[in-house]
Amino acid sequence: MVVDQLSDAEIDRLFHALADATRRDIVAKVMAGEYSVSGLAALYAMSFAAVQKHVAVLERASLVTKQKRGREQIVRVHYEGLQRARRLLDEYEAIWRQRADRIADILAEG
Amino acid sequence: MVVDQLSDAEIDRLFHALADATRRDIVAKVMAGEYSVSGLAALYAMSFAAVQKHVAVLERASLVTKQKRGREQIVRVHYEGLQRARRLLDEYEAIWRQRADRIADILAEG
DNA sequence: ATATCCTACAACCAAATGGTTGTAGATCAA
DNA sequence: TTGATCTACAACCATTTGGTTGTAGGATAT
């Protein structure tokens, strides 16, 4: 499985980052608007430190970045990271489509 | 983030299943050919029980199925599960493209 | 019938994960 | 200057994870 410029460890982090509903929701919210860490934390029934850890996981997966503004850290979508994640998911999807299409052809012959 | 017919728990399992290089490799191998669990186990530097656990994670994520043939369990791609996974990744990809394109437009205006 | 192979799972272990509380420093508002 | 807000991180805890070894049952080969 050839993947564009991403090591296994990076792919691990990407999928791991998305393997949690809270983190997926954070990514969705951050795509739709601008949030500070504490702004995000206010939206979830967990401690500030827990949300901070989730944001850290997303940072390590290059899905978000943080930018200091006064005492706040603004969480933003990481454009390049998102593009790379997109291409990775695209490749998986293409590989899976190819295989699924072959299975469909074989089944059609039957 | 609207996702086709998958609960948060199912999405968790899907991404978690893919958050490990060994499991990604198992999916790749099983897409390319036919393997028993012990056939797969022979390919990795870990115990049979460890590979069995990985296969179980992939089963729970509906990416593979097992089919008994004599004393062997043949691991196969789970066609419907793969399709659903594809659509999920597709949706993520589409949402991310949409956002990335908007960012690109805004940057182009600058 | 016996030996071999294949599989499932329990029990165990170390590490990682996801959450908490507490402490402390930075920045803003009054 | 002081109080409030925001953040980072350490330390802790319970659970999960990823691996192991061992046991046992089922199926195949001899």
Side-chain angles (χ1 to χ4, degrees):
Chain A
M1 200 168 283
V2 178
V3 169
D4 173 37
Q5 304 275 358
L6 287 170
S7 69
D8 269 339
E10 287 172 303
I11 302 174
D12 283 359
R13 286 195 285 275
L14 176 68
F15 280 121
H16 172 72
L18 295 172
D20 181 272
T22 301
R23 289 199 288 276
R24 291 195 296 275
D25 197 65
I26 289 174
V27 173
K29 284 184 160 56
V30 144
M31 286 200 285
E34 187 175 90
Y35 289 85
S36 63
V37 179
S38 58
L40 284 170
L43 305 171
Y44 302 100
M46 62 178 70
S47 68
F48 171 84
V51 173
Q52 203 175 35
K53 284 192 172 191
H54 282 303
V55 172
V57 171
L58 292 169
E59 270 190 290
R60 288 201 295 276
S62 301
L63 290 174
V64 303
T65 60
K66 289 191 303 193
Q67 184 175 1
K68 196 180 183 66
R69 186 196 294 161
R71 65 189 167 193
E72 293 184 329
Q73 290 273 18
I74 304 299
V75 182
R76 284 175 154 58
V77 162
H78 185 234
Y79 182 73
E80 290 81 9
L82 212 67
Q83 297 286 59
R84 276 209 304 273
R86 255 188 61 200
R87 286 197 296 273
L88 174 67
L89 299 187
D90 226 0
E91 286 185 45
Y92 270 87
E93 206 261 339
I95 291 167
W96 286 353
R97 182 194 294 120
Q98 180 184 68
R99 175 65 178 175
D101 290 347
R102 283 176 58 199
I103 292 173
D105 286 346
I106 292 168
L107 288 173
E109 287 173 8
Chain B
M1 201 168 284
V2 178
V3 169
D4 175 37
Q5 305 277 359
L6 287 170
S7 68
D8 270 340
E10 288 172 304
I11 302 173
D12 284 358
R13 285 194 286 273
L14 176 67
F15 280 120
H16 172 73
L18 294 173
D20 181 273
T22 301
R23 290 197 290 276
R24 290 196 296 276
D25 198 64
I26 289 174
V27 173
K29 284 184 160 55
V30 146
M31 286 200 286
E34 189 175 88
Y35 289 84
S36 62
V37 179
S38 58
L40 284 170
L43 304 173
Y44 301 99
M46 62 179 68
S47 68
F48 171 85
V51 172
Q52 204 175 33
K53 284 192 173 191
H54 281 305
V55 172
V57 171
L58 291 169
E59 270 190 290
R60 287 201 295 275
S62 302
L63 291 175
V64 302
T65 59
K66 289 191 302 191
Q67 183 175 3
K68 199 181 181 64
R69 185 197 292 163
R71 64 188 172 189
E72 293 185 329
Q73 290 273 19
I74 304 300
V75 182
R76 287 178 149 66
V77 161
H78 185 234
Y79 181 74
E80 290 81 9
L82 211 67
Q83 297 286 55
R84 274 210 303 274
R86 254 189 63 204
R87 286 198 297 272
L88 174 66
L89 299 187
D90 227 359
E91 285 185 44
Y92 269 88
E93 208 261 340
I95 290 167
W96 286 353
R97 182 192 295 119
Q98 180 183 70
R99 174 66 178 176
D101 290 347
R102 283 176 57 199
I103 291 173
D105 287 345
I106 291 168
L107 289 175
E109 286 175 9

